[in-house]
Structures are given as C-alpha cells and as structure tokens.
Coordinates of all heavy atoms in Angstrom, one line a residue:
M1 N -24.2 -4.8 -31.2 CA -23.8 -5.4 -29.9 C -23.0 -4.3 -29.3 O -22.0 -3.8 -29.8 CB -23.1 -6.6 -30.1 CG -22.6 -7.3 -28.8 SD -21.9 -8.9 -29.2 CE -20.2 -8.5 -29.1
K2 N -23.4 -4.0 -27.9 CA -22.5 -3.0 -27.3 C -21.3 -3.8 -26.8 O -21.3 -4.8 -26.1 CB -23.4 -2.6 -26.1 CG -22.7 -1.6 -25.2 CD -23.5 -1.2 -24.0 CE -22.8 -0.2 -23.2 NZ -23.6 0.0 -21.8
L3 N -20.2 -3.0 -27.0 CA -18.9 -3.5 -26.5 C -18.6 -3.2 -25.1 O -19.1 -2.2 -24.5 CB -17.7 -3.0 -27.4 CG -17.6 -3.3 -28.8 CD1 -16.6 -2.7 -29.5 CD2 -17.4 -4.8 -28.9
R4 N -18.0 -4.2 -24.4 CA -17.6 -4.0 -23.0 C -16.1 -4.0 -22.8 O -15.4 -4.8 -23.6 CB -18.3 -5.1 -22.1 CG -19.8 -4.8 -21.9 CD -20.3 -5.8 -20.9 NE -21.6 -5.3 -20.6 CZ -22.3 -5.9 -19.7 NH1 -21.8 -6.9 -18.9 NH2 -23.5 -5.4 -19.3
C5 N -15.6 -3.5 -21.8 CA -14.2 -3.5 -21.5 C -13.8 -5.0 -21.2 O -14.6 -5.8 -20.8 CB -14.0 -2.8 -20.2 SG -12.4 -2.8 -19.4
A6 N -12.6 -5.3 -21.5 CA -12.0 -6.6 -21.3 C -11.5 -6.9 -19.9 O -11.2 -8.0 -19.6 CB -10.9 -6.9 -22.4
G7 N -11.6 -5.9 -19.1 CA -11.1 -6.1 -17.8 C -12.1 -6.7 -16.8 O -13.3 -6.9 -17.1
F8 N -11.7 -6.9 -15.6 CA -12.5 -7.5 -14.6 C -12.5 -6.7 -13.4 O -11.5 -6.1 -13.1 CB -12.1 -9.0 -14.3 CG -12.5 -10.0 -15.4 CD1 -11.8 -10.1 -16.5 CD2 -13.6 -10.7 -15.1 CE1 -12.1 -11.0 -17.4 CE2 -14.0 -11.7 -16.1 CZ -13.3 -11.7 -17.3
V9 N -13.6 -6.8 -12.5 CA -13.6 -6.0 -11.3 C -14.1 -7.0 -10.2 O -14.6 -8.0 -10.6 CB -14.6 -4.8 -11.4 CG1 -14.2 -3.8 -12.4 CG2 -16.0 -5.3 -11.8
H10 N -13.8 -6.5 -9.0 CA -14.3 -7.4 -7.9 C -15.7 -7.5 -7.9 O -16.5 -6.5 -8.1 CB -13.8 -6.9 -6.6 CG -12.3 -7.1 -6.3 ND1 -11.8 -8.4 -6.0 CD2 -11.2 -6.4 -6.4 CE1 -10.5 -8.4 -5.9 NE2 -10.1 -7.1 -6.1
S11 N -16.3 -8.7 -7.6 CA -17.8 -8.9 -7.6 C -18.4 -8.0 -6.5 O -17.8 -8.0 -5.3 CB -18.0 -10.4 -7.4 OG -19.4 -10.6 -7.1
N12 N -19.6 -7.5 -6.6 CA -20.3 -6.8 -5.5 C -20.7 -7.8 -4.5 O -20.8 -7.5 -3.3 CB -21.5 -6.1 -6.1 CG -21.2 -4.9 -6.9 OD1 -20.1 -4.3 -6.7 ND2 -22.0 -4.5 -7.8
E13 N -21.1 -9.0 -4.9 CA -21.5 -10.0 -3.9 C -20.4 -10.6 -3.0 O -20.6 -10.9 -1.9 CB -22.3 -11.1 -4.6 CG -23.6 -10.8 -5.1 CD -23.5 -10.0 -6.5 OE1 -22.6 -10.3 -7.2 OE2 -24.3 -9.1 -6.7
N14 N -19.2 -10.7 -3.6 CA -18.1 -11.4 -2.9 C -16.7 -10.8 -3.5 O -16.4 -10.9 -4.5 CB -18.1 -12.9 -3.2 CG -17.0 -13.7 -2.4 OD1 -16.1 -13.1 -2.0 ND2 -17.4 -14.9 -2.2
A15 N -16.1 -10.0 -2.6 CA -14.9 -9.4 -3.0 C -13.7 -10.3 -3.5 O -12.8 -9.8 -4.1 CB -14.3 -8.5 -1.8
S16 N -13.8 -11.6 -3.2 CA -12.8 -12.5 -3.6 C -13.0 -13.0 -5.0 O -12.2 -13.7 -5.6 CB -12.5 -13.6 -2.7 OG -13.7 -14.4 -2.6
L17 N -14.2 -12.7 -5.6 CA -14.6 -13.1 -7.0 C -14.4 -12.0 -7.9 O -14.5 -10.8 -7.5 CB -16.0 -13.7 -6.9 CG -16.3 -14.9 -6.0 CD1 -17.8 -15.3 -6.1 CD2 -15.4 -16.0 -6.5
W18 N -14.4 -12.3 -9.2 CA -14.1 -11.2 -10.1 C -15.4 -11.3 -11.2 O -15.8 -12.4 -11.5 CB -12.9 -11.4 -10.9 CG -11.6 -11.2 -10.1 CD1 -11.0 -12.1 -9.3 CD2 -11.0 -10.0 -9.9 NE1 -10.0 -11.6 -8.7 CE2 -9.9 -10.2 -9.1 CE3 -11.1 -8.7 -10.5 CZ2 -8.9 -9.3 -8.7 CZ3 -10.1 -7.8 -10.2 CH2 -9.1 -8.0 -9.3
S19 N -15.8 -10.1 -11.7 CA -16.8 -10.0 -12.7 C -16.3 -9.2 -13.8 O -15.4 -8.3 -13.7 CB -18.1 -9.4 -12.1 OG -18.6 -10.1 -11.0
P20 N -16.9 -9.5 -15.0 CA -16.4 -8.6 -16.1 C -16.7 -7.1 -15.9 O -17.8 -6.9 -15.3 CB -17.3 -9.3 -17.3 CG -17.7 -10.6 -16.8 CD -17.8 -10.5 -15.4
C21 N -15.9 -6.3 -16.3 CA -16.2 -4.9 -16.2 C -17.2 -4.5 -17.1 O -17.3 -4.9 -18.3 CB -14.9 -4.1 -16.5 SG -15.1 -2.3 -16.5
A22 N -18.2 -3.7 -16.6 CA -19.3 -3.3 -17.4 C -19.2 -1.9 -18.2 O -20.0 -1.5 -18.9 CB -20.5 -3.1 -16.4
R23 N -18.0 -1.3 -18.0 CA -17.8 0.0 -18.7 C -17.5 -0.3 -20.2 O -17.1 -1.3 -20.6 CB -16.5 0.7 -18.1 CG -16.8 1.1 -16.6 CD -15.6 1.9 -16.1 NE -15.7 2.0 -14.6 CZ -15.1 1.2 -13.7 NH1 -14.3 0.3 -14.1 NH2 -15.3 1.4 -12.5
A24 N -17.8 0.8 -20.9 CA -17.5 0.8 -22.3 C -15.9 0.9 -22.5 O -15.3 1.7 -21.8 CB -18.2 2.0 -23.0
P25 N -15.4 0.3 -23.5 CA -14.0 0.4 -23.8 C -13.7 1.8 -24.4 O -14.6 2.4 -25.1 CB -13.7 -0.7 -24.8 CG -14.9 -1.0 -25.4 CD -16.1 -0.7 -24.5
L26 N -12.4 2.3 -24.3 CA -12.1 3.5 -25.0 C -12.1 3.2 -26.6 O -12.0 2.1 -26.8 CB -10.7 3.9 -24.5 CG -10.4 4.3 -23.1 CD1 -9.0 4.4 -22.7 CD2 -11.2 5.6 -22.8
R27 N -12.3 4.2 -27.3 CA -12.3 4.2 -28.7 C -11.0 3.5 -29.2 O -9.9 4.0 -28.9 CB -12.5 5.5 -29.4 CG -12.7 5.4 -30.8 CD -12.8 6.8 -31.4 NE -13.9 7.5 -30.8 CZ -15.1 7.8 -31.4 NH1 -15.2 7.6 -32.7 NH2 -16.1 8.5 -30.9
G28 N -11.2 2.4 -30.0 CA -10.0 1.7 -30.5 C -9.2 0.9 -29.4 O -8.1 0.5 -29.7
D29 N -9.8 0.7 -28.3 CA -9.1 -0.1 -27.2 C -10.0 -1.2 -26.7 O -11.2 -1.2 -27.1 CB -8.8 0.9 -26.1 CG -7.7 0.5 -25.2 OD1 -7.5 -0.8 -25.0 OD2 -6.9 1.3 -24.6
R30 N -9.4 -2.1 -26.1 CA -10.2 -3.3 -25.5 C -10.6 -2.9 -24.1 O -11.3 -3.5 -23.5 CB -9.4 -4.6 -25.4 CG -9.0 -5.1 -26.7 CD -10.0 -5.8 -27.5 NE -10.9 -6.7 -26.6 CZ -10.6 -7.9 -26.3 NH1 -9.5 -8.5 -26.7 NH2 -11.3 -8.6 -25.6
F31 N -9.9 -1.9 -23.4 CA -10.2 -1.6 -22.1 C -10.8 -0.1 -21.9 O -10.7 0.7 -22.7 CB -8.9 -1.6 -21.2 CG -8.1 -2.9 -21.2 CD1 -7.0 -3.1 -22.0 CD2 -8.7 -3.9 -20.4 CE1 -6.4 -4.3 -22.0 CE2 -8.0 -5.1 -20.4 CZ -6.9 -5.4 -21.2
C32 N -11.6 0.0 -20.8 CA -12.1 1.2 -20.3 C -10.9 2.1 -19.8 O -9.8 1.6 -19.7 CB -13.1 1.1 -19.2 SG -12.5 0.5 -17.7
A33 N -11.1 3.4 -19.5 CA -10.0 4.3 -19.1 C -9.4 3.7 -17.9 O -8.1 3.8 -17.7 CB -10.6 5.7 -18.9
L34 N -10.2 3.2 -16.8 CA -9.6 2.7 -15.6 C -8.7 1.5 -15.8 O -7.6 1.5 -15.2 CB -10.8 2.3 -14.7 CG -10.4 1.7 -13.4 CD1 -10.1 3.0 -12.4 CD2 -11.6 0.9 -12.7
H35 N -9.2 0.6 -16.6 CA -8.4 -0.6 -16.8 C -7.2 -0.4 -17.7 O -6.1 -1.0 -17.7 CB -9.3 -1.8 -17.4 CG -10.0 -2.4 -16.3 ND1 -11.4 -2.3 -16.1 CD2 -9.7 -3.2 -15.2 CE1 -11.8 -3.0 -15.0 NE2 -10.7 -3.5 -14.4
R36 N -7.4 0.5 -18.7 CA -6.2 0.9 -19.6 C -5.1 1.4 -18.7 O -3.9 1.0 -18.9 CB -6.6 1.9 -20.7 CG -5.5 2.6 -21.5 CD -4.5 1.7 -22.0 NE -5.0 0.6 -22.9 CZ -4.4 -0.5 -23.1 NH1 -3.2 -0.8 -22.6 NH2 -4.9 -1.5 -23.8
D37 N -5.5 2.3 -17.7 CA -4.4 2.9 -16.8 C -3.8 1.8 -16.0 O -2.5 1.8 -15.8 CB -5.0 4.0 -16.0 CG -4.1 4.9 -15.4 OD1 -3.2 5.3 -16.0 OD2 -4.2 5.0 -14.2
A38 N -4.6 0.9 -15.5 CA -4.1 -0.1 -14.6 C -3.1 -1.0 -15.5 O -2.0 -1.5 -14.8 CB -5.2 -1.0 -14.0
V39 N -3.6 -1.4 -16.6 CA -2.7 -2.3 -17.4 C -1.4 -1.7 -17.8 O -0.3 -2.2 -17.6 CB -3.4 -2.8 -18.6 CG1 -2.5 -3.4 -19.7 CG2 -4.6 -3.7 -18.4
D40 N -1.5 -0.4 -18.2 CA -0.2 0.4 -18.5 C 0.7 0.5 -17.3 O 1.9 0.3 -17.5 CB -0.6 1.8 -19.0 CG -1.3 1.8 -20.4 OD1 -1.2 0.7 -21.1 OD2 -1.7 2.8 -20.9
G41 N 0.2 0.8 -16.2 CA 0.9 0.8 -15.0 C 1.6 -0.4 -14.6 O 2.8 -0.5 -14.3
A42 N 0.8 -1.6 -14.8 CA 1.3 -2.8 -14.4 C 2.5 -3.3 -15.4 O 3.6 -3.8 -15.0 CB 0.2 -3.9 -14.4
V43 N 2.3 -3.0 -16.6 CA 3.3 -3.4 -17.7 C 4.5 -2.6 -17.5 O 5.6 -3.1 -17.6 CB 2.7 -3.3 -19.1 CG1 3.7 -3.3 -20.2 CG2 1.5 -4.3 -19.3
L44 N 4.3 -1.2 -17.2 CA 5.5 -0.4 -17.1 C 6.3 -0.9 -15.9 O 7.6 -0.9 -15.9 CB 5.0 1.0 -16.8 CG 6.2 2.1 -16.7 CD1 7.1 2.1 -17.8 CD2 5.5 3.4 -16.4
T45 N 5.6 -1.2 -14.8 CA 6.2 -1.7 -13.6 C 7.1 -2.9 -13.9 O 8.3 -3.1 -13.5 CB 5.2 -2.1 -12.5 OG1 4.5 -0.9 -12.2 CG2 5.9 -2.6 -11.3
I46 N 6.5 -3.9 -14.7 CA 7.3 -5.1 -15.0 C 8.4 -4.8 -15.9 O 9.6 -5.4 -15.7 CB 6.3 -6.1 -15.7 CG1 5.2 -6.6 -14.6 CG2 7.1 -7.2 -16.3 CD1 4.1 -7.4 -15.2
F47 N 8.2 -4.0 -16.9 CA 9.5 -3.6 -17.7 C 10.5 -2.9 -17.0 O 11.6 -3.1 -17.2 CB 8.9 -2.6 -18.9 CG 8.4 -3.3 -20.0 CD1 7.1 -3.1 -20.6 CD2 9.0 -4.4 -20.7 CE1 6.7 -3.7 -21.6 CE2 8.5 -5.1 -21.7 CZ 7.3 -4.7 -22.2
M48 N 10.2 -2.0 -16.1 CA 11.2 -1.2 -15.3 C 11.9 -2.0 -14.3 O 13.0 -1.8 -14.0 CB 10.5 0.0 -14.7 CG 10.0 1.0 -15.7 SD 11.2 1.7 -16.8 CE 12.2 2.6 -15.7
N49 N 11.2 -3.1 -13.7 CA 11.7 -3.8 -12.5 C 12.0 -5.2 -12.8 O 12.8 -5.8 -12.1 CB 10.7 -3.6 -11.3 CG 10.6 -2.2 -10.9 OD1 11.5 -1.5 -10.5 ND2 9.4 -1.7 -11.1
G50 N 11.4 -5.8 -13.8 CA 11.7 -7.3 -14.2 C 11.3 -8.2 -13.1 O 12.0 -9.1 -12.8
F51 N 10.2 -7.9 -12.3 CA 9.8 -8.7 -11.2 C 9.3 -10.0 -11.8 O 8.5 -10.1 -12.7 CB 8.8 -8.1 -10.4 CG 9.2 -6.8 -9.6 CD1 8.3 -6.0 -9.1 CD2 10.5 -6.5 -9.6 CE1 8.7 -4.9 -8.3 CE2 11.0 -5.4 -8.9 CZ 10.0 -4.6 -8.3
S52 N 9.6 -11.0 -11.0 CA 8.9 -12.3 -11.2 C 8.1 -12.6 -9.9 O 8.2 -11.9 -8.9 CB 9.9 -13.5 -11.4 OG 10.7 -13.6 -10.3
H53 N 7.2 -13.6 -10.0 CA 6.3 -13.8 -8.8 C 7.2 -14.1 -7.6 O 8.0 -14.9 -7.6 CB 5.4 -15.0 -9.2 CG 4.4 -15.2 -8.2 ND1 3.3 -14.3 -7.9 CD2 4.3 -16.2 -7.2 CE1 2.5 -14.8 -6.9 NE2 3.0 -15.8 -6.5
G54 N 6.8 -13.4 -6.6 CA 7.4 -13.5 -5.2 C 8.7 -12.7 -5.1 O 9.2 -12.7 -4.0
E55 N 9.1 -12.1 -6.2 CA 10.4 -11.2 -6.1 C 9.9 -9.8 -5.8 O 9.0 -9.4 -6.1 CB 11.0 -11.3 -7.5 CG 12.4 -10.7 -7.6 CD 12.9 -10.8 -9.0 OE1 12.3 -11.4 -9.8 OE2 14.0 -10.2 -9.2
T56 N 10.8 -9.2 -5.0 CA 10.6 -7.8 -4.5 C 11.7 -6.9 -5.2 O 12.7 -7.3 -5.7 CB 10.6 -7.7 -3.1 OG1 11.9 -8.1 -2.7 CG2 9.6 -8.4 -2.4
H57 N 11.4 -5.6 -5.1 CA 12.2 -4.6 -5.6 C 13.5 -4.7 -4.9 O 13.6 -4.9 -3.6 CB 11.6 -3.2 -5.4 CG 12.5 -2.1 -6.1 ND1 13.5 -1.5 -5.6 CD2 12.3 -1.6 -7.4 CE1 13.9 -0.7 -6.4 NE2 13.2 -0.6 -7.5
P58 N 14.7 -4.5 -5.5 CA 16.0 -4.6 -4.7 C 16.1 -3.7 -3.6 O 16.8 -4.0 -2.6 CB 17.0 -4.2 -5.9 CG 16.3 -4.5 -7.1 CD 14.9 -4.3 -6.9
D59 N 15.5 -2.6 -3.7 CA 15.6 -1.6 -2.5 C 14.6 -2.0 -1.3 O 14.8 -1.5 -0.2 CB 15.1 -0.2 -3.0 CG 16.2 0.4 -3.9 OD1 17.3 -0.1 -3.9 OD2 15.9 1.4 -4.6
A60 N 13.7 -2.9 -1.6 CA 12.7 -3.3 -0.6 C 13.3 -3.8 0.7 O 13.0 -3.3 1.8 CB 11.7 -4.2 -1.1
Q61 N 14.3 -4.7 0.6 CA 14.8 -5.4 1.8 C 15.6 -4.3 2.5 O 15.6 -4.3 3.8 CB 15.8 -6.5 1.4 CG 16.3 -7.2 2.5 CD 15.3 -7.9 3.4 OE1 14.3 -8.4 2.9 NE2 15.4 -7.8 4.7
E62 N 16.4 -3.3 1.9 CA 17.1 -2.4 2.6 C 16.1 -1.3 3.3 O 16.4 -0.9 4.5 CB 18.0 -1.5 1.5 CG 18.8 -0.5 2.3 CD 19.7 0.3 1.2 OE1 19.9 -0.3 0.2 OE2 19.9 1.4 1.5
I63 N 15.1 -1.1 2.7 CA 14.2 -0.1 3.2 C 13.5 -0.8 4.5 O 13.4 -0.1 5.6 CB 13.0 0.3 2.3 CG1 13.6 1.1 1.1 CG2 11.9 0.9 3.0 CD1 12.8 1.4 0.0
K64 N 13.2 -2.0 4.4 CA 12.6 -2.8 5.5 C 13.6 -2.9 6.6 O 13.2 -2.8 7.8 CB 12.2 -4.2 5.0 CG 11.5 -5.0 6.1 CD 11.1 -6.4 5.5 CE 10.5 -7.2 6.6 NZ 10.2 -8.6 6.2
S65 N 14.9 -3.1 6.3 CA 15.8 -3.2 7.3 C 16.1 -1.9 8.1 O 16.2 -1.9 9.3 CB 17.2 -3.7 6.7 OG 17.2 -4.9 6.1
R66 N 16.1 -0.8 7.4 CA 16.2 0.5 8.0 C 15.0 0.8 8.8 O 15.1 1.3 10.0 CB 16.2 1.6 6.9 CG 17.7 1.8 6.5 CD 17.9 3.0 5.6 NE 17.7 2.6 4.2 CZ 17.2 3.4 3.2 NH1 16.8 4.5 3.5 NH2 17.2 2.8 2.0
R67 N 13.8 0.4 8.5 CA 12.6 0.6 9.2 C 12.6 -0.2 10.5 O 12.3 0.3 11.6 CB 11.3 0.3 8.5 CG 10.0 0.7 9.2 CD 8.8 0.3 8.4 NE 8.6 -1.1 8.4 CZ 8.5 -1.9 7.3 NH1 8.5 -1.4 6.2 NH2 8.4 -3.2 7.5
I68 N 13.0 -1.4 10.5 CA 13.1 -2.3 11.7 C 14.2 -1.7 12.6 O 13.9 -1.7 13.8 CB 13.6 -3.7 11.2 CG1 12.4 -4.4 10.5 CG2 14.0 -4.6 12.5 CD1 12.7 -5.7 9.8
A69 N 15.4 -1.3 12.1 CA 16.4 -0.7 12.9 C 15.9 0.6 13.6 O 16.1 0.8 14.8 CB 17.7 -0.3 12.1
R70 N 15.2 1.4 12.9 CA 14.6 2.7 13.4 C 13.6 2.4 14.5 O 13.7 3.0 15.6 CB 14.0 3.5 12.3 CG 13.6 4.9 12.7 CD 13.2 5.6 11.4 NE 12.1 5.1 10.7 CZ 12.2 4.7 9.4 NH1 13.4 4.9 8.8 NH2 11.2 4.1 8.7
N71 N 12.7 1.4 14.4 CA 11.7 1.0 15.3 C 12.3 0.4 16.6 O 12.0 0.7 17.7 CB 10.7 0.0 14.7 CG 9.8 0.6 13.6 OD1 9.7 1.9 13.6 ND2 9.1 -0.2 12.9
Q72 N 13.4 -0.4 16.4 CA 14.2 -1.0 17.4 C 14.8 0.1 18.3 O 14.9 0.1 19.5 CB 15.1 -2.0 16.9 CG 15.8 -2.9 18.1 CD 14.8 -3.6 18.8 OE1 14.0 -4.3 18.3 NE2 14.8 -3.6 20.2
K73 N 15.4 1.1 17.5 CA 16.1 2.2 18.3 C 15.1 3.0 19.2 O 15.4 3.3 20.3 CB 16.8 3.1 17.2 CG 17.7 4.2 17.8 CD 18.3 4.9 16.6 CE 19.1 6.1 17.2 NZ 19.7 7.0 16.2
A74 N 13.9 3.2 18.6 CA 12.9 3.9 19.4 C 12.4 3.2 20.5 O 12.2 3.7 21.5 CB 11.7 4.2 18.4
K75 N 12.2 1.9 20.3 CA 11.8 1.0 21.5 C 12.9 1.0 22.5 O 12.5 1.0 23.7 CB 11.6 -0.4 21.0 CG 11.1 -1.4 21.8 CD 10.8 -2.7 21.2 CE 10.4 -3.8 22.3 NZ 10.2 -5.1 21.6
N76 N 14.2 0.8 22.2 CA 15.2 0.9 23.1 C 15.2 2.2 23.9 O 15.5 2.2 25.1 CB 16.6 0.6 22.5 CG 16.8 -0.7 22.0 OD1 15.9 -1.7 22.3 ND2 17.7 -1.1 21.1
A77 N 15.1 3.3 23.2 CA 15.0 4.6 23.8 C 13.9 4.7 24.9 O 14.1 5.2 26.0 CB 14.9 5.7 22.8
R78 N 12.7 4.1 24.5 CA 11.6 4.1 25.5 C 11.9 3.3 26.7 O 11.7 3.6 27.7 CB 10.3 3.6 24.8 CG 9.7 4.6 23.9 CD 8.3 4.1 23.5 NE 8.2 2.8 22.9 CZ 8.3 2.5 21.6 NH1 8.5 3.5 20.7 NH2 8.2 1.3 21.1
L79 N 12.6 2.0 26.4 CA 12.9 1.2 27.5 C 13.9 1.8 28.5 O 14.0 1.5 29.6 CB 13.3 -0.2 27.0 CG 12.2 -1.0 26.3 CD1 12.9 -2.3 25.7 CD2 11.2 -1.4 27.2
E80 N 14.9 2.5 27.9 CA 16.1 3.1 28.6 C 15.6 4.4 29.3 O 16.5 4.9 30.1 CB 17.2 3.3 27.8 CG 17.8 2.0 27.2 CD 18.8 2.2 26.2 OE1 19.1 3.4 25.8 OE2 19.4 1.3 25.6
A81 N 14.4 4.9 29.0 CA 14.0 6.2 29.6 C 13.8 6.1 31.2 O 13.3 5.0 31.6 CB 12.8 6.7 29.0
S82 N 14.1 7.1 31.8 CA 13.8 7.1 33.3 C 12.4 7.2 33.6 O 11.6 7.5 32.7 CB 14.5 8.3 33.9 OG 13.9 9.5 33.5
P83 N 12.0 6.8 34.8 CA 10.6 6.8 35.1 C 10.0 8.2 34.9 O 8.9 8.4 34.5 CB 10.5 6.4 36.6 CG 11.7 5.6 36.8 CD 12.7 6.1 35.8
Q84 N 10.8 9.3 35.3 CA 10.3 10.6 35.0 C 10.1 10.9 33.6 O 9.1 11.5 33.1 CB 11.3 11.6 35.6 CG 11.4 11.6 37.1 CD 12.4 10.6 37.6 OE1 13.0 9.9 36.9 NE2 12.4 10.4 38.9
E85 N 11.1 10.4 32.7 CA 10.9 10.7 31.3 C 9.6 9.9 30.7 O 8.9 10.4 29.8 CB 12.1 10.3 30.5 CG 13.3 11.1 30.7 CD 14.6 10.6 30.1 OE1 14.8 9.3 30.3 OE2 15.3 11.3 29.6
R86 N 9.5 8.7 31.2 CA 8.3 7.9 30.7 C 7.0 8.6 31.2 O 6.0 8.7 30.4 CB 8.4 6.5 31.3 CG 9.3 5.6 30.5 CD 9.2 4.1 30.9 NE 9.4 3.8 32.2 CZ 10.5 3.2 32.6 NH1 11.4 2.9 31.7 NH2 10.7 3.0 33.8
A87 N 7.0 9.2 32.3 CA 5.7 9.8 32.9 C 5.5 11.1 32.1 O 4.4 11.5 31.7 CB 5.9 10.2 34.3
A88 N 6.6 11.8 31.7 CA 6.4 13.0 30.9 C 5.9 12.7 29.5 O 5.0 13.3 29.0 CB 7.8 13.8 30.8
T89 N 6.5 11.6 28.9 CA 6.0 11.1 27.6 C 4.5 10.7 27.7 O 3.8 11.0 26.7 CB 6.8 10.0 27.0 OG1 8.2 10.4 27.0 CG2 6.5 9.5 25.7
A90 N 4.2 10.0 28.7 CA 2.7 9.7 28.9 C 1.9 10.8 29.0 O 0.7 10.9 28.4 CB 2.6 8.7 30.0
R91 N 2.3 11.9 29.7 CA 1.5 13.1 29.8 C 1.3 13.8 28.4 O 0.2 14.2 28.1 CB 2.1 14.1 30.8 CG 1.9 13.8 32.2 CD 2.2 15.0 33.2 NE 3.6 15.4 33.1 CZ 4.7 14.8 33.8 NH1 4.4 13.8 34.6 NH2 5.8 15.2 33.6
I92 N 2.4 13.8 27.7 CA 2.4 14.5 26.3 C 1.4 13.7 25.5 O 0.6 14.3 24.8 CB 3.7 14.5 25.7 CG1 4.6 15.5 26.5 CG2 3.7 14.9 24.2 CD1 6.1 15.5 26.1
R93 N 1.5 12.4 25.5 CA 0.6 11.6 24.7 C -0.8 11.8 25.0 O -1.7 11.8 24.2 CB 1.0 10.1 24.8 CG 2.2 9.7 24.0 CD 2.2 8.1 23.9 NE 3.5 7.8 23.2 CZ 4.3 6.9 23.6 NH1 4.1 6.2 24.7 NH2 5.4 6.7 23.0
S94 N -1.1 11.8 26.4 CA -2.4 12.0 26.9 C -3.0 13.4 26.4 O -4.1 13.4 26.0 CB -2.4 12.0 28.4 OG -3.7 12.3 28.9
R95 N -2.2 14.5 26.4 CA -2.6 15.7 26.0 C -2.9 15.7 24.5 O -3.9 16.3 24.0 CB -1.6 16.8 26.2 CG -1.5 17.1 27.7 CD -0.5 18.3 28.0 NE -0.1 18.4 29.4 CZ 1.1 18.5 29.8 NH1 2.1 18.7 28.9 NH2 1.4 18.6 31.1
R96 N -2.1 15.0 23.7 CA -2.3 14.9 22.3 C -3.6 14.2 21.9 O -4.4 14.6 21.1 CB -1.1 14.1 21.6 CG 0.0 15.0 21.4 CD 1.1 14.3 20.7 NE 2.4 15.0 20.7 CZ 3.5 14.4 20.5 NH1 3.7 13.1 20.4 NH2 4.6 15.1 20.5
E97 N -3.9 13.1 22.7 CA -5.1 12.3 22.5 C -6.3 13.1 22.9 O -7.3 13.2 22.1 CB -5.1 11.0 23.4 CG -4.1 10.1 22.9 CD -4.0 8.8 23.8 OE1 -4.7 8.7 24.7 OE2 -3.1 8.0 23.5
I98 N -6.3 14.1 23.9 CA -7.4 14.8 24.3 C -7.6 15.9 23.2 O -8.6 16.2 22.8 CB -7.2 15.5 25.6 CG1 -7.3 14.4 26.7 CG2 -8.1 16.6 26.0 CD1 -6.7 14.9 28.1
A99 N -6.3 16.5 22.6 CA -6.5 17.5 21.7 C -7.1 17.0 20.4 O -7.7 17.8 19.6 CB -5.1 18.1 21.4
D100 N -6.7 15.8 20.1 CA -7.2 15.1 18.8 C -8.7 14.8 18.9 O -9.3 14.6 17.8 CB -6.5 13.8 18.5 CG -5.1 14.1 18.1 OD1 -4.7 15.4 17.8 OD2 -4.3 13.1 18.3
K101 N -9.3 14.7 20.0 CA -10.8 14.4 20.1 C -11.7 15.6 19.7 O -11.4 16.7 19.6 CB -11.1 13.9 21.5 CG -10.5 12.5 21.8 CD -10.8 12.1 23.1 CE -10.2 10.7 23.5 NZ -10.4 10.2 24.8
Ligands
LIG1 ZN1 -12.8 -1.7 -17.4

C-alpha cells in the first residue's frame, strides 16, 4: 500500500473544500516536504507567540496605528495642498502612469 501525506490541500473543484494531499510522505514522516514545512512553521509560530484564536501579535496594533496615522498625515497634506501643488502632483502622477505603460 502506497503511503500518502497526512496533510490536506484545497480541492481543485472548490477552493473552500479540502482534499487529502496526494504526495508521498518524507521518509519516517507523516507529511510530504511541503506540509512538514507548513506544520513546523505553524507550530513554531504558536510556540513563539502563544496566539489563541482571534488574538494578534502584540506589535500588530501598534503597527496598524502607525500606518493609519501615516495615511491620515498624507491625506491631510493632499487636502492642504494649494491648487498649484495639486495640479503639479497630478501632472507627475500622469507622467508616471504614461511611463509605466
Ligand atoms: Zn502533503
């Protein structure tokens, strides 16, 4: 009997469903190389961070707050710009879009 990996993959027919992994397990392991790496990474993450369901990394809120503040600052700068500055910014964006094509 051919052994198969104990992991699961997204179904080809429906991405929200799971199917057994068809790969062969690593020698002496229950998982193929892909799933062994995924399991090791997930277990290491849990050991290092102690996350429970719905909990986020302690730095996540601070990083999110900084990103929101940075985006708000940029938005305020755009709103406070003079009409000439806004026109200049629009010209620069337009040139970049043309250059990117
Ligand atoms: Zn697998």
Side-chain angles (χ1 to χ4, degrees):
M1 184 174 98
K2 184 181 173 190
L3 291 177
R4 286 190 168 183
C5 172
F8 284 78
V9 295
H10 284 287
S11 167
N12 288 333
E13 288 81 32
N14 185 336
S16 65
L17 299 178
W18 294 87
S19 300
C21 178
R23 294 184 191 96
L26 294 170
R27 185 183 303 248
D29 201 332
R30 298 280 319 276
F31 297 106
C32 69
L34 181 80
H35 281 108
R36 169 49 55 202
D37 194 50
V39 168
D40 288 351
V43 170
L44 180 62
T45 299
I46 292 167
F47 275 128
M48 295 302 290
N49 300 298
F51 294 169
S52 62
H53 186 69
E55 190 179 354
T56 57
H57 189 276
D59 293 343
Q61 187 59 44
E62 184 182 331
I63 291 167
K64 183 178 177 185
S65 296
R66 276 191 264 149
R67 187 182 70 233
I68 290 170
R70 189 172 53 243
N71 290 345
Q72 188 62 47
K73 187 176 175 183
K75 184 178 177 183
N76 290 345
R78 284 193 304 273
L79 292 174
E80 293 170 1
S82 68
Q84 292 83 5
E85 288 171 321
R86 285 197 290 262
T89 302
R91 281 194 300 274
I92 291 169
R93 281 195 186 132
S94 175
R95 286 184 198 136
R96 283 184 187 156
E97 288 171 7
I98 290 169
D100 289 345
K101 289 181 183 175

